[in-house]
Amino acid sequence: MMIKTMRLILPVLLLAAGAAQGGTVFLSFNQHATPNLFQTRDAVADRVSAFSLAVDQDLSTLSLLADLSYSAFHETPGLSFLSAGVGLDYLRPVGGKSAFYFALGGTGQFYRQAYAAFSSLGVNLLGAFKTYLAPSSILKLQWQGAYASFNDSLFDFLSQTASLSIDKYLPTRTTLKAEAEWGTKFFLHPFLPEPVEPLTEPVAALAAPRGPGAGTASGSGSGSGSGGGWGGRQYEGGYGFIPRYSSEGGGAGIGHVGLSLLAAQGLGDVVGLSVSALKQWTVSGQNPFLSIEEFYLVQNPSADAFSWQGHQLNARVTLNLPWEVELKSGYTYSDRNFPGVESLGLDGAPLGEVRSDIRRLFETRLEKDFRRLTVFLAYAWVDNDSNDPLFDWKSHSIMGGFEWNLPTGRKGGLS
Amino acid sequence: MIRQLALGALLAGLAAGTAAAQGGGPFYNVDKEVRIEATVREIVLEPRYKGTAPFLVLGVEESGTAKRFKVEVSPSWFFGQDVHGGEKVKVVGALVETPDGVPTIIARELQLRGETFRLRDKRGFPNWQGGPQRKRGIRRFGVL
């Protein structure tokens, strides 16, 4: 079905791209390989091919963006998804040193078969203000709101984030930046209705043992676990997500504040260094789900930037090498816990503590710019230590691909 | 049904986009490409082309010669990246003549803080896309 849809849409998009006088048309292909698609201790390997086509076009002072991408999972084809989005940007200068920026966007992600629960439609709004306090110092204010409706309504949410940042460039070629953020996410109806028969055991104890092949009766026979049957849906493979039951229903929210500091330093023409630290506190509510999960390359709706509190440290180096080759490498250490999320044993029984993960991530990316396209190769290595044994895992991934701008007529100042 | 609606909206957006007319302006001429090292002296948002969003334009002073240039960056960079007064930059771009007589470079590549930002491909076609909230590609680990 998805391939058929793509066959219908791609020619239209390419025709539109060809007619997009003055616009930007962008095409990319990425190929991924990971030995741990579901990011659990029970590694499941997969390869992912991702195609993306985007058009950016100015409409008077508005900028219109439309994009379409398709990600094909070779070993778990049910997880393949089509993603589409449209958006409008508007930039409004105020005086010579300030500007407002507004953006409105709509997105859709469409999954196949067993993963249809992740399919969603969403809208987001963004408003920002940026001003130069002095030539070497910038103040930024930003607000972003989002709403998404999922095929499985357990994940439906409203969220908003507000941030304030200030930075300073020093004559030593050092940039210092501080940022404060506040955010909240409200799941509209994240609970399952209470079963007719009253529970005498914790939900998790009723869940199937957590592991591949430990499927529920409703599983498709290839490894669904506690995910089987939630919200009337089930999917194969993940088995880390567990919702809660509630007789009261209603919504549940989680809110955080965060502080981050960044220092960046240029060394000559070749080397760029940056270090950053982020501390985030959950200040209201908690995650409504008993257990959450995140998949490689998949926007899993139960875990995101709102889910955790803790801290994160990052160091990054960029090398500008001869022949227009760029090498970026980074290391990120994060110590996070997930309020409301319980650490569970592999048998599904609660271990009596909040889930806590320490993650070490090394990543590197090599990029070469050619006349018509940019090619890149990237590698990432992750060691995730968790007090929930299911999420105690190590893995790596390899990605390569190219990005190509299609010519769309004249290439003057604008195009 | 939902899928059809979303695809319909996407295609309608594309159709609207392709209908837009573009204003005139200087072309990116690869034969007039130059490379300079300079210090940023001024940062402004200017309407550069009829019917488009304003562009981020840097006023720079070339190292060594103290010659002044305007560097035309892109419409969306003002929010996406932070350029500061006094910052050292390397610019690769096409030199164009403008009515005000100030030598202007349409930037293809900007290097600052040890990082290279490619604004256009080597033929001069833009790489920028949308504002700062637009993230190309699909989600990966980390920040690279």
Side-chain angles (χ1 to χ4, degrees):
Chain A
M1 175 63 189
M2 203 66 68
I3 299 294
K4 191 178 174 184
T5 307
M6 288 293 288
R7 280 182 187 151
L8 287 172
I9 293 170
L10 266 176
V12 179
L13 282 171
L14 288 169
L15 280 173
Q21 290 295 316
T24 307
V25 179
F26 178 85
L27 182 69
S28 74
F29 169 75
N30 296 343
Q31 179 67 40
H32 304 251
T34 176
N36 197 342
L37 176 64
F38 299 112
Q39 300 185 174
T40 65
R41 71 196 299 270
D42 305 304
V44 175
D46 211 332
R47 290 169 292 120
V48 187
S49 301
F51 308 87
S52 174
L53 178 66
V55 179
D56 192 10
Q57 177 75 58
D58 275 6
L59 299 168
S60 185
T61 55
L62 295 173
S63 179
L64 170 75
L65 174 76
D67 65 83
L68 183 74
S69 65
Y70 181 70
S71 298
F73 289 70
H74 296 263
E75 305 299 327
T76 315
L79 201 49
S80 298
F81 65 93
L82 177 72
S83 174
V86 290
L88 279 174
D89 290 349
Y90 177 65
L91 188 65
R92 173 94 183 167
V94 182
K97 304 296 177 191
S98 308
F100 286 97
Y101 169 78
F102 301 98
L104 169 66
T107 58
Q109 295 207 43
F110 309 100
Y111 290 83
R112 305 167 65 185
Q113 305 158 1
Y115 292 89
F118 292 169
S119 294
S120 67
L121 287 175
V123 293
N124 55 76
L125 280 167
L126 187 147
F129 175 72
K130 177 173 175 177
T131 187
Y132 280 82
L133 300 174
S136 61
S137 182
I138 299 169
L139 174 76
K140 273 196 280 194
L141 293 160
Q142 182 169 300
W143 176 87
Q144 186 161 18
Y147 166 75
S149 173
F150 287 81
N151 207 4
D152 193 309
S153 60
L154 281 180
F155 302 123
D156 293 355
F157 72 85
L158 273 168
S159 71
Q160 60 174 328
T161 307
S163 64
L164 165 71
S165 73
I166 187 165
D167 73 7
K168 175 77 177 169
Y169 178 77
L170 305 173
T172 55
R173 300 184 66 189
T174 308
T175 305
L176 301 175
K177 182 176 182 179
E179 181 168 347
E181 180 183 285
W182 168 85
T184 183
K185 182 174 184 178
F186 186 77
F187 289 93
L188 300 173
H189 21 71
F191 303 112
L192 293 176
E194 291 276 8
V196 176
E197 292 294 321
L199 295 173
T200 56
E201 298 176 76
V203 167
L206 291 177
R210 307 162 89 206
T216 62
S218 61
S220 61
S222 58
S224 69
S226 56
W230 48 263
R233 315 279 178 184
Q234 59 84 31
Y235 57 87
E236 58 182 311
Y239 63 79
F241 171 72
I242 305 175
R244 284 192 164 88
Y245 290 95
S246 171
S247 57
E248 298 171 0
I254 180 168
H256 70 263
V257 294
L259 280 176
S260 64
L261 298 170
L262 177 143
Q265 177 72 51
L267 298 175
D269 298 330
V270 177
V271 183
L273 299 171
S274 77
V275 292
S276 65
L278 165 66
K279 176 77 176 169
Q280 184 164 297
W281 298 269
T282 297
V283 293
S284 63
Q286 62 177 19
N287 287 289
F289 307 120
L290 190 67
S291 180
I292 60 177
E293 64 186 351
E294 51 180 339
F295 300 164
Y296 179 74
L297 289 178
V298 178
Q299 192 170 4
N300 193 289
S302 67
D304 59 19
F306 293 90
S307 308
W308 61 273
Q309 63 175 355
H311 65 272
Q312 183 170 294
L313 305 170
N314 172 263
R316 193 170 76 164
V317 60
T318 303
L319 298 175
N320 283 298
L321 303 172
W323 302 297
E324 303 203 50
V325 175
E326 185 177 74
L327 177 69
K328 288 183 179 178
S329 295
Y331 178 79
T332 304
Y333 171 89
S334 60
D335 185 347
R336 304 181 294 177
N337 66 65
F338 303 84
V341 176
E342 293 190 34
S343 179
L344 306 175
L346 292 176
D347 58 358
L351 300 177
E353 51 189 352
V354 172
R355 181 179 153 191
S356 179
D357 288 13
I358 291 177
R359 179 174 292 191
R360 297 169 186 85
L361 161 67
F362 169 76
E363 54 188 336
T364 190
R365 179 185 173 98
L366 187 67
E367 189 171 298
K368 163 73 178 154
D369 197 27
F370 291 98
R371 178 172 166 78
R372 292 182 182 275
L373 50 85
T374 300
V375 296
F376 65 94
L377 191 63
Y379 173 81
W381 175 84
V382 184
D383 179 2
N384 196 73
D385 291 330
S386 177
N387 62 355
D388 184 322
L390 182 62
F391 299 105
D392 199 40
W393 56 277
K394 290 180 188 175
S395 185
H396 64 269
S397 62
I398 300 170
M399 179 175 74
F402 68 83
E403 298 172 346
W404 181 34
N405 277 357
L406 296 171
T408 58
R410 55 185 289 277
K411 53 174 181 174
L414 183 66
S415 66
Chain B
M1 182 62 183
I2 287 173
R3 182 180 299 167
Q4 287 166 342
L5 281 174
L7 292 176
L10 172 74
L11 295 175
L14 282 168
T18 56
Q22 297 299 307
F27 282 60
Y28 192 100
N29 185 345
V30 292
D31 296 329
K32 293 195 173 180
E33 202 163 82
V34 295
R35 178 186 299 260
I36 66 165
E37 292 185 41
T39 302
V40 178
R41 296 297 181 206
E42 191 181 18
I43 300 149
V44 291
L45 280 168
E46 280 186 9
R48 303 291 288 183
Y49 303 94
K50 188 181 174 186
T52 69
F55 270 60
L56 173 64
V57 177
L58 307 177
V60 304
E61 183 181 296
E62 188 177 20
S63 304
T65 66
K67 191 175 178 183
R68 295 267 182 160
F69 292 88
K70 280 187 175 179
V71 177
E72 180 184 296
V73 183
S74 82
S76 58
W77 241 52
F78 187 74
F79 273 83
Q81 300 290 338
D82 295 329
V83 186
H84 303 84
E87 199 152 12
K88 307 280 186 196
V89 294
K90 267 188 176 178
V91 182
V92 179
L95 193 61
V96 295
E97 298 297 328
T98 55
D100 61 10
V102 180
T104 298
I105 298 171
I106 299 175
R108 175 170 72 78
E109 198 174 288
L110 209 56
Q111 195 182 103
L112 64 157
R113 297 189 291 272
E115 290 201 54
T116 301
F117 301 96
R118 293 190 173 91
L119 301 158
R120 296 168 180 273
D121 67 16
K122 287 186 175 177
R123 298 163 297 162
F125 291 105
N127 274 335
W128 65 77
Q129 185 184 68
Q133 91 290 11
R134 311 289 181 216
K135 296 281 191 283
R136 280 201 299 238
I138 52 179
R139 196 175 70 122
R140 293 183 291 122
F141 288 120
V143 293
L144 297 186

